[in-house]
Structure formats: C-alpha cells, structure tokens
Amino acid sequence: DMRKKIIAGNWKMNLGVGEGYRLAGEILRMLGKRKDNDKGVILCTPYIHLKGVSDILNGSGMGTGAQNCSDKIDGALTGEISATMILSTGAQWVIIGHSERRTLFGEDDALLFRKTNAALDAGLSVIFCCGEVLNEREKGIHFETVRRQLTDGLFGLPATKFGKVVIAYEPVWAIGSGITASPAQAQEMHRFIRKLIAEAYNEPTAGNTTILYGGSCKSSNAAELFAGADVDGGLIGGASLKATEFCAIVGSLK
Ligand code: PEP
C-alpha cells in the first residue's frame, strides 16, 4: 500500500497571530526541511494565521490547513471563508467534520458532504473527521455511528475525488479529555473504517487511504497508538500547541 503517514496539528481557537508564527517557526527549526515526503506534517491554524504560517513553511515540505470552510463558493455570507480563499493563502488542506463543528455548530452529515465537495472542487485536500460520543460507545453502537458518518458525509464522493481525502477517527470522549482510546480500540475502529472504504470503493483505494487517530494523543502515548497496522498517524489538538511535544509526536511515527 502506498498510503502516506501524516501528523496534523489542530490549533483550534488558540494563539494570537504572532504566537502562531513563533510556534510554526519553532516547529520548522526542530523538524528541519523534510526531504522525505513520505511522512507529512500539517499545521491546521485559525484562518487569520494561515497565510503567514504558509509563508513561513513554504518550501519546507510541511503543509498547512484550515479547520473549517464554507460549503458555498462566494457571495453575501458575512464572516464565512470559502475553500478557494483558503487555497489562496498557500494552504493545501482543510479539516471537515471535526466533532466540535458537529456538536457546537450543528453541522450535520449532509452539510459536511457539501463542504467536502466544495473543498475538493477548489483543489484542497480534506481531513474528514468521524467518531462516536461516549454514550454511543457504552451502548455498543460506535461502529454504526462511524458507518453513518462516513456513508452520509463522505462515500457519496466519486472515487477520483475520494483519493484526496484523509480520514481522522476521533472518539469524542477522547478529545481534550486526557483519556485516549486504547491502542486496541483505535486499531479495531481503523480496521473497520478501512473495510468500509473497501466496500464503498475497492480494496486498493482502502489500502491507499490514510487514517489518522485523534483524541488526547501526546508524546507519551503516540508510539503505541501509531503501532496499529491501520493507524497511519495522528490528528493532534492540545499537544500541537507546544513545539517540543508536537515534534516528539512526529518523531514517534515510524
Ligand atoms: C482534536 O481536537 O482534533 C484533538 C485530537 O484534540 P486533543 O488532541 O486535544 O484531544
């Protein structure tokens, strides 16, 4: 399989612009120029940091992304940001369907499908998030939740477009909670997701799709989480705000 290993940082709504530029600069110094392009490092910043951070990382092999985008092309949508605008900053990526967008901003599967299409049409690659809440895992319906999120939010894409999608499995109970999924729980769900991709598309597509784990991943637990055969890296929230911590996580991805 040719799938790429990726560590993506999600800064969420943190850091002033100057602080963000400083963090990006520190990470760049620590990781250096990344000649081996088989391990991708992506910083997903707030919109207002994106041009500056993209300029700082330009030529480094590291990528940048937004954390959300509009499902619309342009127009009278005060406060919204389109996928084309994101691309114009030099960014290559956008996170779609993060659990905070789903829960706090009421984004449903149909809207996330439209956003994913808008992003891909504009030329961005997508990190598409899925994952169950605690109550769903306790009831044993976590596989059904993830199946629905992917079927309704993503698998309507034609195969050609799906090739530019990375999936992030983020159990909601593990996000920002300090509780990670066990390596076995992560691997079990990642394997299930790969099977769903094979059913929706085909085996080669499934084998070539990068599937990230997210949820309280830090340098002390990253290596054991990434050891899973179907775990191709991580989406990192809190731990992406400290350069040493984030770079140690990058270093633990083999
Ligand atoms: C996230 O929000 O994508 C995430 C994984 O957060 P944290 O690492 O802080 O749990």
Side-chain angles (χ1 to χ4, degrees):
D1 299 331
M2 300 295 291
R3 62 183 180 263
K4 204 174 156 86
K5 303 257 182 179
I6 292 175
I7 300 290
N10 173 13
W11 291 1
K12 309 196 185 190
M13 195 176 78
N14 292 294
L15 308 177
V17 168
E19 294 168 316
Y21 294 174
R22 205 172 319 130
L23 176 58
E26 277 171 21
I27 292 169
L28 178 60
R29 268 196 308 284
M30 286 183 190
L31 296 180
K33 278 204 192 327
R34 308 189 59 74
K35 283 173 234 79
D36 64 303
N37 214 27
D38 56 299
K39 195 159 79 174
V41 178
I42 304 163
L43 303 184
C44 297
T45 78
Y47 291 131
I48 59 169
H49 302 59
L50 210 44
K51 172 76 167 83
V53 172
S54 297
D55 286 348
I56 289 166
L57 299 185
N58 185 31
S60 71
M62 280 188 262
T64 53
Q67 302 165 13
N68 178 31
C69 73
S70 174
D71 64 320
K72 303 294 194 302
I73 304 292
D74 57 23
L77 294 157
T78 301
E80 286 294 277
I81 300 287
S82 74
T84 304
M85 290 157 68
I86 293 167
L87 192 79
S88 77
T89 66
Q92 308 85 2
W93 293 86
V94 60
I95 299 172
I96 304 280
H98 190 279
S99 74
E100 288 150 21
R101 300 298 317 173
R102 292 176 186 266
T103 314
L104 304 172
F105 301 95
E107 299 192 359
D108 62 14
D109 295 321
L111 174 63
L112 297 175
F113 183 64
R114 293 199 304 276
K115 289 191 174 197
T116 300
N117 268 292
L120 295 170
D121 286 345
L124 292 171
S125 295
V126 168
I127 299 174
F128 187 91
C129 301
C130 60
E132 81 284 358
V133 297
L134 182 58
N135 176 265
E136 291 167 326
R137 180 161 283 265
E138 285 172 346
K139 284 200 287 203
I141 59 169
H142 44 295
F143 293 113
E144 284 319 302
T145 297
V146 168
R147 181 199 295 274
R148 191 212 74 231
Q149 290 171 336
L150 295 179
T151 302
D152 295 352
L154 197 56
F155 290 158
L157 293 174
T160 48
K161 279 189 174 179
F162 185 79
K164 289 191 73 182
V165 175
V166 165
I167 294 175
Y169 169 58
E170 301 204 302
V172 180
W173 47 273
I175 296 178
S177 64
I179 303 165
T180 57
S182 70
Q185 285 172 324
Q187 167 55 25
E188 180 185 38
M189 182 62 85
H190 282 229
R191 189 179 164 184
F192 175 73
I193 291 169
R194 208 175 298 287
K195 193 184 69 153
L196 293 179
I197 300 166
E199 286 168 11
Y201 297 95
N202 53 49
E203 287 286 349
T205 302
N208 288 332
T209 303
T210 299
I211 307 176
L212 308 179
Y213 169 79
S216 297
C217 187
K218 42 188 187 281
S219 63
S220 57
N221 59 29
E224 57 179 27
L225 286 161
F226 300 159
D230 292 288
V231 181
D232 307 313
L235 179 55
I236 317 298
S240 74
L241 295 171
K242 291 209 181 78
T244 48
E245 182 66 10
F246 183 70
C247 295
I249 294 170
V250 173
S252 69
L253 183 65
K254 293 294 170 257

